[in-house]
Amino acid sequence: MSKYTIKDVAKEAGVSIATVSRVINGKGKVNATMEQKVQEAIKKLNYEINVIAKNLKEERTKTIGVIIPDISNPHFMTISKGIEDIVHPYGYQLIFGSSNEQPAKEEQLLNLFYGKRVESIVLATSGYNEQTIKKIHMQGTPILLMDRRVEIDEAPMHLVEEDNIDGAYTLTKQLLEFGHTRIGVVNGSLNVSTGSDRYKGFQKAFQEAGVEKDPMLIYNGDFTKESGKKAVEYFMSSKPPSAILSFNNFMTIGVLGELARRGIRVPDDIFIASYDTVEPEELISHMYQILYLRSSPYAMGVRIGKILIESLFNKDDEQIYHEKFTPVLSYQP
C-alpha cells in the first residue's frame, strides 16, 4: 500500500484534492493540462488508490455472497465456477458459505453476508428461512435463487433452476419402460423445491402408466451420501426392489457404496437410476452402467452470473427472471 495520500498527490500536482478525485474517479470535467499533472504526480509518487475505501464511499463492496447446501458437491461448485467466470472480469469477488443443509446455519450466513454489505446474494436454500430471505431482499440486498425456489409473493426474486418435475418424470418413465415397477425411491429433502418437485415427477410417471406405487418403497432422505446408504439398508430389510431411483448424485454415491459393501451387483441384481451425474461420470457409468440425468451446472452458473451483472449495473430494471434448464437422459448399457 502506498504511503502517500490523495492530499500528497494534490500538493505534488499543484491542484485541489477535488481535482485529483475527479481524475481518479473519472467524474466531472478536468482540463487536459491539469489531468496530465495529476497523472504525472500519481506516477511519480507511485500512488495506489484505496479500492476498499473508494467502494465503501460509493456504497459498493464488489462482493457477491453465495450460499450453497454442500460445498463438497461438484454440482454446486460447478455452478459457482460459471458464476465466477462471468462476474470476475467486472471486478466482483464471490464469498462462499455452506449451510450443510442446515436452515439455522443458512440463516446465520444470510445475516453475515447482509452485515458485510455484499451487493447481492445467490442462494440455494435449505428451507425454513422465508422470513429472513424476505427481510434481507426487501431491505436492499437482492437475492437470486439458485436451483431451489422460495415462494414469497411480496418479494419477487430472480430464479435459475432445473426443470425438476420433468426431469424426474423422464427418468421414472424410462425405468418403467425398462420393465421396472418395484422401484425404490430415495427422496431428497421434501422441504425444498428440488426434493418435492422430483418426487412429483416420479408420481406423475406412475400415474400416467397406471402403476400403483408401493409406499414401503419410498425413503425420505436429505441429499447426503449417508441417506443413500440408509435407504439401501431400509430397502434390503424386506423384499428388495428391482431398481433404485435416487434423486441426487450424493445419495446415489451412498446407494452404490452400500450395495457394493453388500456384494449386490449393479445392474445385474438391482438397476440404478440417478438424478444428476455421479463423478467421475465416465468411470461410474462404465463400472455400474446406471441410468442418469446429466444436468448443466456450468451453463446455469453462467446464466446466473449474467443476470447478476445485468441487475447490478441496471438497478432500475424491474424485470424478474425465472429460467429453467432441462437435464438430459443418459445411459450406456
Side-chain angles (χ1 to χ4, degrees):
M1 182 67 67
S2 172
K3 63 181 179 180
Y4 294 104
T5 68
I6 192 171
K7 291 182 181 179
D8 297 317
V9 175
K11 183 178 179 180
E12 178 67 28
V15 300
S16 68
I17 293 174
T19 298
V20 176
S21 178
R22 285 196 291 270
V23 172
I24 290 173
N25 294 303
K27 296 178 179 179
K29 292 183 179 181
V30 179
N31 70 53
T33 301
M34 285 189 175
E35 182 173 359
Q36 184 176 354
K37 287 182 179 181
V38 171
Q39 296 291 1
E40 288 174 353
I42 289 172
K43 185 176 181 180
K44 180 179 178 180
L45 299 179
N46 194 26
Y47 175 71
E48 297 176 5
I49 301 169
N50 189 331
V51 176
I52 294 175
K54 179 174 178 287
N55 283 335
L56 286 173
K57 187 174 181 180
E58 296 177 354
E59 298 185 351
R60 302 187 73 171
T61 61
K62 287 286 188 175
T63 56
I64 297 170
V66 180
I67 302 175
I68 56 181
D70 190 340
I71 203 165
S72 66
N73 191 326
H75 175 80
F76 290 107
M77 293 314 297
T78 304
I79 293 177
S80 301
K81 177 68 166 60
I83 298 172
E84 185 174 47
D85 285 351
I86 295 299
V87 304
H88 186 264
Y90 290 88
Y92 282 88
Q93 303 293 333
L94 302 184
I95 303 175
F96 288 96
S98 177
S99 68
N100 294 327
E101 297 286 5
Q102 299 173 16
K105 186 177 180 185
E106 178 184 299
E107 184 177 24
Q108 290 175 352
L109 288 167
L110 284 164
N111 288 319
L112 175 66
F113 287 167
Y114 178 69
K116 287 188 175 294
R117 301 174 69 249
V118 298
E119 292 190 40
S120 188
I121 296 174
V122 179
L123 172 66
T125 185
S126 299
Y128 299 109
N129 280 313
E130 287 82 0
Q131 290 306 311
T132 301
I133 294 167
K134 175 183 174 181
K135 178 190 72 175
I136 290 174
H137 184 72
M138 296 187 74
Q139 286 180 349
T141 301
I143 295 178
L144 187 153
L145 301 173
M146 170 176 67
D147 216 33
R148 300 178 176 185
R149 292 191 309 278
V150 177
E151 306 292 349
I152 304 175
D153 293 336
E154 311 96 303
M157 288 169 263
H158 299 307
L159 168 64
V160 178
E161 63 175 345
E162 288 186 353
D163 192 337
N164 290 286
I165 293 179
D166 186 68
Y169 165 80
T170 300
L171 194 59
T172 307
K173 183 179 179 181
Q174 186 63 71
L175 274 179
L176 291 168
E177 290 178 358
F178 282 168
H180 297 284
T181 54
R182 282 188 54 78
I183 300 173
V185 176
V186 190
N187 277 322
S189 172
L190 298 178
N191 298 315
V192 296
S193 62
T194 44
S196 60
D197 283 357
R198 290 172 189 180
Y199 186 54
K200 288 175 185 175
F202 162 79
Q203 292 176 307
K204 178 183 174 183
F206 259 62
Q207 291 168 357
E208 185 180 277
V211 178
E212 186 175 349
K213 65 180 183 294
D214 184 348
M216 298 304 294
L217 291 178
I218 307 297
Y219 182 87
N220 293 327
D222 58 6
F223 290 120
T224 64
K225 296 176 187 177
E226 183 64 19
S227 63
K229 174 181 176 293
K230 289 182 177 179
V232 172
E233 293 174 350
Y234 170 74
F235 295 143
M236 296 302 123
S237 65
S238 57
K239 183 181 178 182
S242 65
I244 293 177
L245 172 55
S246 169
F247 279 137
N248 96 321
N249 53 347
F250 265 27
M251 294 192 299
T252 304
I253 292 172
V255 167
L256 291 172
E258 181 61 19
L259 290 175
R261 191 187 71 81
R262 292 170 176 260
I264 299 172
R265 297 169 301 167
V266 175
D268 296 338
D269 299 328
I270 291 184
F271 193 90
I272 300 298
S274 174
Y275 195 110
D276 211 351
T277 308
V278 179
E279 301 289 346
E281 179 181 339
E282 294 81 6
L283 178 62
I284 294 297
S285 62
H286 175 71
M287 289 176 60
Y288 291 102
Q289 297 178 357
I290 66 175
L291 176 71
Y292 62 97
L293 285 176
R294 182 189 290 113
S295 59
S296 305
Y298 183 78
M300 289 177 66
V302 166
R303 185 60 189 129
I304 290 170
K306 290 180 178 179
I307 293 173
L308 284 170
I309 292 301
E310 184 173 335
S311 59
L312 287 167
F313 282 88
N314 298 285
K315 292 186 177 182
D316 294 333
D317 186 358
E318 296 183 355
Q319 181 177 359
I320 300 297
Y321 293 97
H322 180 190
E323 301 190 9
K324 289 187 179 182
F325 283 71
T326 303
V328 179
L329 193 66
S330 297
Y331 180 56
Q332 295 179 347

